[in-house]
Amino acid sequence: MIVRPPTRRPAAPARSRLTIAAAALLLAGLAPLTPLAPVTSVTLVAPAAASEAAGEAATADLAVSDAPPATLQPTVQYEEAVAHAGDKTAFAPGDRVSVPFEPRAADRWAVGGARPQPLPAGRVSGKSLRSPKLPGPPNRAEPAPATTGFGGGPALARLDRPYVDPASAPMADLAAAVDPGGLKRDVFGFLPYWELTASTTRLDWEKLSTVAYFGVGVAADGDLQKKNSDGTTTIGWSGWTSSALTKVMNSAHASGARVVLTVQSFAWTSAGVARQRSLLGSAANRANLARQIAAAVRDRGADGVNLDFEPIISTYGDEFTALVRSVRAELDKVHRGYQLTFDATGWIGNYPIGDATASGGADAVVVMGYDYRTGTSAVAGSVAPSAGPTYDIGDTIRAYLARIPASKVILGVPYYGRAWSTSSSALNAKNISGTKNGASTTAVYTTAVQFAADHGRKWDSVEGVAWTVYRRRNCTATYGCVSPWRELYYDDAKALGLKYDLINHYDLRGAGIWALGYDGTRPELYAMLKAKFITDTVPPVISASSLSNAFVSPNGDGRLDTVTVRVTATGLIRYGWTVQPIVGGVVRPAVRAGGAPGRAAAFTWNGKDDAGRIVPDGWYRITVWTADASNNRAAAVKDVTVDRRPAAVIARSSSSFISPDGDGHADRTTLSMTADSAITGSARVFDSHGTTVRRWTFSKATGGSWVWNGRNSAGTTVPDGRYTFRVAGLDRAGNRTIRDVPVTVDRTIRSVTWSRSSFAPKAGQHARLTFSLRRSAKVTLSIMQGSTVVRTIWTTKALAAGSHGWTWDGRTASGALARPGTYRAVVRATSWVGTSSFSRTIVVRLP
């Protein structure tokens, strides 16, 4: 779960370009050991807008030129390497690393594109590695060939370790690997050689997965810097081959943690630029370095390599990618499963992070999530702001995730802070550091936390950082003594916890630490690692959930047969689902349940229970839960209706036939429908060939009526014949209903008329009935009173087309005179079209 400060301060002005000061000290492991000439300038345009932070414009090149001073400055890793280049630590050579690496049960991060694997122990001792010649094949005193695993058995035989591959792992394996007591992230800590033998350095293997020994330099020809110009062992190689590191590696391997070698190539000076250009620009030099790295890892019994190339010089991104791939290939020749990472700054710049982490490349990028403010920053503040008015950690993460998967990102965090001389004691006061007031300096965690204890800890809720302020006296021959304010900003456990929340929120591979040992014997930073990455109880954050449709109709008609629930959540490693009926407002036990590994949660339900039976129609609740690596869960709930019953529809026509001849009799009919639930569809009239002549549409209706006058959509009267009125629609669940009503268009009878409207039979009066036929037909003529036939004149009498008539004298079938009242003459004509019926009334009255 991400914890963000509630507000951001107004945006600060864009940072001015800053000059990179030349290093006057010596770099560790570089030969010959001579002072370095300053570079004229190093240009890297850092993103200044949110769109750039998202990776849209983070492709600026690093270039050596006479351009104006640059925004990017040397990193703390480089500065401290320079500061310790002259250390005279006497590292005693170590024995062979005797304990091989074997992955932990919860080790789920892919290495070399595959599951983590056991790796061989050391090949030779540290003393042998310091000798002028590299050792040959293993001898009897040091029998640990790289092709063997524990007990001398084949290393590849030990590949049945539990491993989580969210894309393919079965649920049983996944559940076993999601260990509430295991480390859920790759915690990657840099261990500088100057902290290796410090009495206060503690390595808590429960909270560490990878320790990167820092480090060994590399020359222009690709040689690892093992010897100084006077023949002595460089301090970096001395620490790598030391007894202290042998002890660290054996302890790490016994706990299932890795130890890797950091190989350094710094290009912050003109000499460094020239050296890196020669190295990367030569395929032979790259191949030489790759072989030497593989040999150093193999012989020492290490578990991989970390490449600290900073920065990558302009236009050499492809060459750096080629080096990374060469290192991977050489490591794989020794043994599959060696970890390969490289470091990059918070601003991506021209680091080829996509290409260099593609298949056959590095496993991850260790992002140096610090140095966002340096000694020359305009104002004091966090060196690693979790949020803020300018480019921050969140912006960095999003920029990296726009290019590479989260599983390839390790976010480095600072175990140090920085102090500035400032113009006031206010938060983010103006930086006035310099000779007069005192230079800006870094402070390791133990120093920073003590200053805060002495002067009062404060908290910046916007950038998410602890700070303190105090007066400090600074005396110089030029300016005398002054006592400016001094502000120190540092990441304490709370600040680091915010960054770990970001790591969990974005589901990054893990956290990096600069640097192990900087916390001394204090326990709180390890405790925060455990709280966030071992005993983490914060559930995943569901940022979005959706339901494809609110109804499911599993009848196999291809419409709404299934329903899909999708959930977007951060930090999820697996997900599951339950489907429960809701009866009378009460949620009942599940009819369907399950789970699956994956990074994207989506459950499609086909309306069936676990036994494959279609469930009864009704209301159901679908719950999709997501689980992170600590098995914390969050859920999205969606309710759906199962409905397989089509709507009950009644279709009617007010007349079974029409005679649209304009005589006012049966010229039209009213077509109508009623439904017991809302449907959407159409009503249409089509002929015997299925051709639609008229069509009406309706939406979510339970009824409707339409008047048809026997004409088509163009307004032309349709030919006589048999027609069908059809109502077809879908209800909310996609169930289709079709209802048909026949209608005959028949103009066989042209007209039916009486010669008079009434007559009196007793007075000897009569009336003449006439009608005409368009075509020959069999005609039935009846006189009716109400529903009673009083006289039948013709019964299916064949008549030709033309006019016909009959005179009624007012007598019934019995010969009696009809009683006064209203009577109807009903003419029914049956032709090839069908049967049509016309009637006309006449009144029989008294004389």
Side-chain angles (χ1 to χ4, degrees):
M1 178 178 181
I2 183 171
V3 179
R4 287 188 176 276
T7 59
R8 285 179 176 239
R9 284 191 286 271
R15 297 175 179 173
S16 60
R17 292 178 175 264
L18 305 174
T19 303
I20 298 178
L25 299 175
L26 303 180
L27 281 176
L30 296 180
L33 294 177
T34 57
L36 300 175
V39 66
T40 304
S41 69
V42 179
T43 302
L44 178 64
V45 179
S51 62
E52 294 171 326
E56 297 175 8
T59 57
D61 285 340
L62 184 68
V64 178
S65 67
D66 292 325
T71 58
L72 189 64
Q73 291 202 350
T75 66
V76 67
Q77 293 176 204
Y78 165 75
E79 290 180 343
E80 294 193 17
V82 170
H84 288 279
D87 288 1
K88 302 300 182 183
T89 307
F91 288 112
D95 294 331
R96 178 180 68 85
V97 174
S98 58
V99 180
F101 168 77
E102 187 171 359
R104 296 166 175 166
D107 193 344
R108 65 189 181 91
W109 302 102
V111 178
R115 58 201 279 170
Q117 299 182 15
L119 296 171
R123 183 169 181 256
V124 293
S125 67
K127 181 178 180 180
S128 298
L129 289 172
R130 291 187 189 180
S131 64
K133 294 183 178 181
L134 290 175
N139 53 46
R140 293 186 180 181
E142 298 169 326
T147 56
T148 63
F150 291 130
L156 295 179
R158 298 299 299 263
L159 300 185
D160 57 345
R161 299 292 301 163
Y163 170 67
V164 176
D165 180 357
S168 59
M171 280 300 296
D173 291 348
L174 187 66
V178 178
D179 177 8
L183 188 60
K184 309 309 182 303
R185 303 286 169 189
D186 189 352
V187 179
F188 186 105
F190 288 98
L191 178 61
Y193 59 77
W194 54 89
E195 293 292 333
L196 182 57
T197 57
S199 61
T200 55
T201 297
R202 297 181 308 113
L203 301 177
D204 188 337
W205 299 115
E206 180 192 31
K207 289 93 175 176
L208 297 172
S209 59
T210 301
V211 168
Y213 170 77
F214 188 92
V216 175
V218 58
D221 61 0
D223 282 345
L224 292 177
Q225 294 300 298
K226 304 174 184 179
K227 295 294 181 181
N228 295 311
S229 57
D230 60 2
T232 59
T233 302
T234 61
I235 191 167
W237 190 254
S238 179
W240 176 247
T241 58
S242 67
S243 60
L245 194 62
T246 298
K247 182 179 179 180
V248 168
M249 296 175 77
N250 281 334
S251 297
H253 291 170
S255 301
R258 296 177 177 86
V259 178
V260 301
L261 170 64
T262 297
V263 174
Q264 305 156 332
S265 174
F266 296 122
W268 296 110
T269 64
S270 56
V273 168
R275 184 167 45 251
Q276 192 184 101
R277 180 182 289 114
S278 296
L279 169 62
L280 293 180
S282 166
N285 293 346
R286 295 196 303 266
N288 178 43
L289 177 57
R291 288 191 297 268
Q292 291 206 23
I293 287 173
V297 169
R298 172 200 66 195
D299 294 341
R300 194 69 175 104
D303 311 301
V305 66
N306 167 253
L307 302 177
D308 188 14
F309 279 53
E310 53 177 89
I312 304 296
I313 59 176
S314 178
T315 73
Y316 279 75
D318 290 345
E319 288 77 5
F320 179 74
T321 297
L323 171 64
V324 171
R325 299 180 70 83
S326 293
V327 172
R328 167 63 72 199
E330 291 296 330
L331 290 173
D332 285 350
K333 290 178 183 179
V334 177
H335 197 290
R336 299 280 294 182
Y338 284 116
Q339 186 190 82
L340 173 57
T341 60
F342 65 89
D343 305 336
T345 55
W347 291 272
I348 296 176
N350 66 330
Y351 279 97
I353 60 172
D355 292 341
T357 57
S359 178
D363 300 307
V365 180
V366 181
V367 180
M368 292 179 279
Y370 30 81
D371 293 322
Y372 290 68
R373 284 190 177 89
T374 63
T376 55
S377 294
V379 297
S382 174
V383 300
S386 293
T390 55
Y391 195 73
D392 56 43
I393 295 294
D395 296 324
T396 293
I397 292 174
R398 289 184 286 275
Y400 273 85
L401 296 188
R403 300 192 186 186
I404 59 176
S407 61
K408 295 180 180 291
V409 178
I410 297 173
L411 177 66
V413 300
Y415 272 23
Y416 73 95
R418 180 173 284 277
W420 291 266
S421 297
T422 57
S423 60
S424 73
S425 62
L427 177 67
N428 300 131
K430 181 181 178 181
N431 174 21
I432 60 170
S433 301
T435 303
K436 177 180 179 179
N437 297 298
S440 173
T441 60
T442 58
V444 299
Y445 175 74
T446 52
T447 300
V449 76
Q450 186 59 55
F451 266 77
D454 294 341
H455 301 287
R457 174 188 176 276
K458 298 178 182 293
W459 178 254
D460 179 354
S461 60
V462 173
E463 296 190 345
V465 66
W467 67 292
T468 189
V469 61
Y470 51 92
R471 291 278 191 180
R472 194 189 76 166
R473 186 177 176 84
N474 191 65
C475 297
T476 63
T478 302
Y479 301 104
C481 293
V482 294
S483 298
W485 288 106
R486 192 79 171 171
E487 290 187 355
L488 169 62
Y489 293 76
Y490 69 101
D491 277 60
D492 61 2
K494 179 180 179 180
L496 292 171
L498 294 178
K499 293 176 175 62
Y500 299 155
D501 286 339
L502 285 169
I503 290 169
N504 285 331
H505 175 83
Y506 287 104
D507 198 22
L508 305 185
R509 185 182 184 108
I513 297 169
W514 182 265
L516 296 173
Y518 286 2
D519 55 343
T521 59
R522 299 187 66 93
E524 59 267 24
L525 301 193
Y526 274 124
M528 184 55 69
L529 285 170
K530 183 172 184 177
K532 297 299 183 179
F533 300 144
I534 296 179
T535 58
D536 170 32
T537 59
V538 179
V541 176
I542 294 179
S543 57
S545 62
S546 63
L547 183 70
S548 62
N549 43 271
F551 292 85
V552 58
S553 176
N555 54 15
D557 63 359
R559 293 182 296 273
L560 301 183
D561 285 333
T562 63
V563 60
T564 299
V565 179
R566 299 184 184 279
V567 175
T568 302
T570 59
L572 76 92
I573 185 174
R574 61 191 178 112
Y575 67 96
W577 55 83
T578 58
V579 181
Q580 300 165 276
I582 302 174
V583 180
V586 178
V587 180
R588 303 295 185 181
V591 298
R592 185 80 185 271
R599 296 292 183 184
F603 167 59
T604 298
W605 185 43
N606 58 3
K608 297 181 180 181
D609 60 19
D610 279 333
R613 299 176 298 241
I614 295 177
V615 301
D617 286 2
W619 190 18
Y620 290 79
R621 175 158 296 169
I622 301 176
T623 301
V624 176
W625 54 262
T626 66
D628 62 16
S630 297
N631 208 24
N632 300 308
R633 297 190 181 190
V637 176
K638 303 293 182 182
D639 291 339
V640 302
T641 300
V642 175
D643 182 4
R644 289 179 295 151
R645 184 188 70 82
V649 175
I650 298 174
R652 304 180 183 88
S653 175
S654 60
S655 176
S656 61
F657 89 100
I658 59 173
S659 177
D661 53 10
D663 66 354
H665 300 285
D667 284 334
R668 64 188 61 203
T669 182
T670 299
L671 310 174
S672 63
M673 76 89 179
T674 56
D676 66 350
S677 63
I679 61 174
T680 297
S682 66
R684 68 186 181 106
V685 178
F686 58 91
D687 61 20
S688 59
H689 302 290
T691 302
T692 299
V693 296
R694 285 294 301 273
R695 187 174 184 271
W696 305 269
T697 61
F698 54 88
S699 177
K700 298 179 181 178
T702 57
S705 62
W706 306 270
V707 174
W708 187 42
N709 59 1
R711 298 176 182 271
N712 59 23
S713 298
T716 303
T717 302
V718 299
D720 287 358
R722 296 178 179 88
Y723 292 80
T724 301
F725 166 53
R726 172 169 290 177
V727 175
L730 300 175
D731 64 12
R732 293 176 298 175
N735 300 304
R736 179 176 291 277
T737 299
I738 297 176
R739 291 291 182 270
D740 290 346
V741 175
V743 177
T744 300
V745 175
D746 186 359
R747 289 170 292 174
T748 299
I749 305 175
R750 293 183 60 87
S751 63
V752 176
T753 60
W754 288 101
S755 60
R756 60 177 71 190
S757 61
S758 65
F759 71 103
K762 287 185 178 182
Q765 295 178 347
H766 61 270
R768 178 79 177 170
L769 176 73
T770 59
F771 60 91
S772 62
L773 301 177
R774 287 175 177 267
R775 59 184 64 87
S776 60
K778 293 181 178 179
V779 177
T780 297
L781 172 59
S782 302
I783 304 296
M784 301 183 68
Q785 186 176 36
S787 60
T788 302
V789 176
V790 298
R791 185 171 179 180
T792 299
I793 310 305
W794 298 321
T795 302
T796 62
K797 182 178 181 181
L799 297 177
S803 296
H804 302 274
W806 173 75
T807 300
W808 188 36
D809 57 3
R811 294 185 181 275
T812 66
S814 64
L817 291 175
R819 295 179 181 181
T822 300
Y823 292 81
R824 289 184 300 129
V826 179
V827 180
R828 290 185 177 88
T830 302
S831 67
W832 65 266
V833 177
T835 299
S836 57
S837 176
F838 273 60
S839 67
R840 284 292 183 270
T841 60
I842 190 168
V843 176
V844 175
R845 54 184 174 79
L846 294 172

